[in-house]
Amino acid sequence: MKVIICGAGQVGWQIARHLSSENNDVTVVDNNADLVRRATDTLDVKGLTGFASHPDVLDRAGARDADMVIAATFSDEVNMVTCQVAHSVFAVPRKIARLRAQSYLDTIYSDLYRRDHLPIDVVISPEKEVAEAVLNRIASPSTFDTESFFDDAVQLMGIELDEDCPVLGTPLKQLSELFSTLRAIVVGIRRDSTLFAPEPGDQMFAGDQIYVVSHSDDVARALEIFGKTRAMPGRIVIIGGGNVGLAVASRLEKAATRMRTRVIEANRARAERAADALERTIVLHGDGLDIDLLREAGIERADVVLSLTDDDKTNMLASVRGKSAGAGMAISLVNDPTLVPLMSPLGIDAYVNPRSTTVSSILRHIRHGRVRGVYSIGDAEAEVIEAQVLSTSPMAGKAIRDIDFPEGALLGAVQRGKKVLRPTGATRIEEGDAVMIFSLTKDVPAVEALLQVSIDFF
């Protein structure tokens, strides 16, 4: 597949990293020569310096025979024009644009993206994606990572194991035998900063970060087995009232479970906008690091402090200060993945990486076959892929034990109709089933080959 990625920032670089590692023909375009050089020096991609929306630049990037254009520059307008030029001049079949401004995303203007207006096939909103990720963290406060699959029927949970975890040292195979009715599987273990797909005989130790796939009805029981509890927070303090903070506060106001929410925003204009948009949430104008203001917001009684400003270091400091002042747990928005190892020593319970959430959204629309969802884990260490099995897939009609899965991949769940199955070696994959597969990044191409369908289905 020939792909042109416009924008070589964090998101563009990460998408290029994924696609180039899977032997796609990737060209990266950016008007910043240093960013283009970084991409070409570290990845197997071609690079071009120039403005992505200019027809001559797209032409030199190979738009005439490109399969897809991904517009992920820092400018919404450049992304929109890039897609228009790619369509009108070069007839590129598929266009994906990242748009930040909420006005462009309002449903009353959805006709804007019809093919006879602005021909954008997929619109990605980082703020909405990040807000959804934050809400998922709140819903599972004892996990450091979480994502939903199969229309919320299955949950992926990242759990850090403590010394008091009751199943430490238990081989995974024995764990399945002890809890035979539990619809949950450990699909990944991170130990000493290395993520791997475990074997049946592997054990778990204190300090391990494990990834568990669980039926949504069994989440509470699964958490209990791994020494965790699931208690929904009632009081939340949000530091940062920008697009992400406002989106989270708005969703919390509409939640079925009533929560008391306070928002602290340093910028007066943003604070006033948030106050006008929110009905039941109190908005305070001031510095989220000010201990007196935090106390005014009720930090000592808060179940969760969410640090959602646009500055990583501010978020981390605010999380530490909020938790030291009495908040039950701290969740921080962090763009720089190199800061993640500092989370645990600082006592920050969970984090959300906007880049990872946006990358996951874009990958969902790139993968081959009938891929319905993709979630990127860590710093592009692994992916969880949800896909439908068609008759021409190499998996169809085979028992799981007979499918040639790569070493770094595990099947976490199977959905047949409305029923979710916990897979065993004897489980036969049928045409029409949906599968959820955990795969280390290096093994994603092999997993895609298992999901590949014939040309008749495109």
Side-chain angles (χ1 to χ4, degrees):
M1 182 166 62
K2 185 171 184 178
V3 183
I4 299 174
I5 300 174
C6 303
Q10 292 182 343
V11 170
W13 186 88
Q14 198 64 254
I15 292 295
R17 175 182 171 183
H18 276 272
L19 296 181
S20 64
S21 68
E22 297 161 16
N23 300 318
N24 292 291
D25 182 354
V26 178
T27 300
V28 174
V29 179
D30 200 292
N31 65 339
N32 186 321
D34 291 335
L35 292 179
V36 173
R37 192 176 303 111
R38 181 188 70 153
T40 55
D41 287 349
T42 57
L43 305 173
D44 183 18
V45 301
K46 295 187 285 290
L48 180 64
T49 301
F51 289 93
S53 57
H54 292 183
D56 63 316
V57 173
L58 282 178
D59 196 1
R60 282 186 285 140
R64 293 189 185 278
D65 58 350
D67 299 296
M68 180 181 299
V69 165
I70 301 171
T73 74
F74 291 108
S75 167
D76 288 356
E77 289 71 26
V78 169
N79 293 339
M80 296 164 78
V81 172
T82 298
C83 290
Q84 181 70 69
V85 172
H87 173 79
S88 300
V89 179
F90 302 107
V92 177
R94 194 156 180 80
K95 286 81 58 184
I96 297 175
R98 179 178 66 173
L99 302 181
R100 293 181 180 277
Q102 297 306 295
S103 180
Y104 288 136
L105 305 169
D106 198 310
T107 53
I108 65 173
Y109 306 126
S110 58
D111 279 356
L112 179 64
Y113 306 110
R114 292 204 323 239
R115 294 186 69 81
D116 52 347
H117 293 160
L118 269 176
I120 302 174
D121 300 295
V122 179
V123 173
I124 303 295
S125 166
E127 282 77 10
K128 286 188 175 181
E129 301 290 341
V130 171
E132 188 65 36
V134 171
L135 292 165
N136 284 340
R137 300 293 186 277
I138 295 173
S140 298
S142 56
T143 64
F144 66 84
D145 199 357
T146 182
E147 180 68 7
S148 299
F149 293 87
F150 296 159
D151 296 323
D152 297 330
V154 167
Q155 296 287 321
L156 171 74
M157 300 181 291
I159 302 171
E160 183 160 351
L161 301 182
D162 301 321
E163 293 284 356
D164 58 356
C165 173
V167 293
L168 294 182
T170 305
L172 295 180
K173 181 178 180 180
Q174 187 177 340
L175 198 63
S176 299
E177 295 168 353
L178 288 171
F179 306 99
S180 58
T181 60
L182 180 71
R183 292 168 292 180
I185 293 178
V186 177
V187 294
I189 299 177
R190 183 183 289 111
R191 182 176 298 151
D192 298 327
S193 301
T194 300
L195 182 65
F196 61 93
E199 299 286 341
D202 285 337
Q203 303 174 21
M204 297 172 293
F205 303 101
D208 284 354
Q209 291 183 333
I210 65 171
Y211 287 88
V212 180
V213 173
S214 172
H215 191 289
S216 295
D217 294 341
D218 291 354
V219 165
R221 187 179 170 209
L223 288 171
E224 183 180 353
I225 288 170
F226 294 110
K228 303 293 182 179
T229 59
R230 189 184 193 186
M232 287 294 291
R235 298 173 183 268
I236 298 174
V237 174
I238 300 174
I239 299 174
N243 286 337
V244 174
L246 180 56
V248 171
S250 299
R251 291 283 297 274
L252 290 174
E253 283 194 339
K254 299 171 185 175
T257 303
R258 181 69 181 269
M259 301 181 192
R260 297 183 181 182
T261 308
R262 303 287 186 271
V263 174
I264 299 175
E265 170 54 50
N267 180 280
R268 177 174 290 278
R270 282 200 296 263
E272 291 175 350
R273 183 184 67 138
D276 290 341
L278 299 169
E279 297 178 2
R280 301 194 308 269
T281 303
I282 294 175
V283 179
L284 303 174
H285 171 235
D287 186 355
L289 294 173
D290 185 335
I291 190 63
D292 292 328
L293 190 60
L294 286 170
R295 286 171 179 157
E296 184 180 345
I299 194 68
E300 69 280 356
R301 300 186 305 278
D303 299 302
V304 180
V305 56
L306 301 175
S307 300
L308 306 177
T309 77
D310 55 6
D311 183 82
D312 287 355
K313 296 178 180 64
T314 297
N315 290 338
M316 295 174 70
L317 285 172
S319 293
V320 172
R321 170 147 279 192
K323 197 169 180 185
S324 67
M329 72 174 297
I331 300 175
S332 184
L333 194 69
V334 176
N335 288 275
D336 184 354
T338 64
L339 295 174
V340 171
L342 298 175
M343 295 291 167
S344 183
L346 290 173
I348 300 173
D349 301 279
Y351 69 94
V352 174
N353 186 329
R355 183 185 68 179
S356 291
T357 57
T358 305
V359 168
S360 295
S361 299
I362 294 174
L363 288 175
R364 188 180 306 133
H365 301 284
I366 293 176
R367 292 295 180 220
H368 299 300
R370 291 294 180 90
V371 173
R372 307 192 308 193
V374 176
Y375 184 64
S376 181
I377 288 179
D379 187 19
E381 297 167 275
E383 291 180 19
V384 179
I385 301 170
E386 175 189 329
Q388 185 179 15
V389 178
L390 299 181
S391 60
T392 50
S393 165
M395 299 173 63
K398 291 184 179 179
I400 291 175
R401 65 166 65 95
D402 298 326
I403 299 173
D404 188 20
F405 283 104
E407 183 179 347
L410 279 177
L411 187 61
V414 178
Q415 186 180 48
R416 184 164 298 156
K418 294 185 178 181
K419 188 176 181 180
V420 176
L421 311 175
R422 185 179 76 166
T424 66
T427 303
R428 185 173 297 277
I429 303 300
E430 299 178 359
E431 176 188 354
D433 286 352
V435 294
M436 177 185 173
I437 302 173
F438 169 94
S439 174
L440 299 180
T441 300
K442 66 180 179 62
D443 291 313
V444 166
V447 171
E448 282 199 301
L450 292 173
L451 298 171
Q452 194 66 274
V453 297
S454 73
I455 195 67
D456 296 338
F457 287 97
F458 288 98

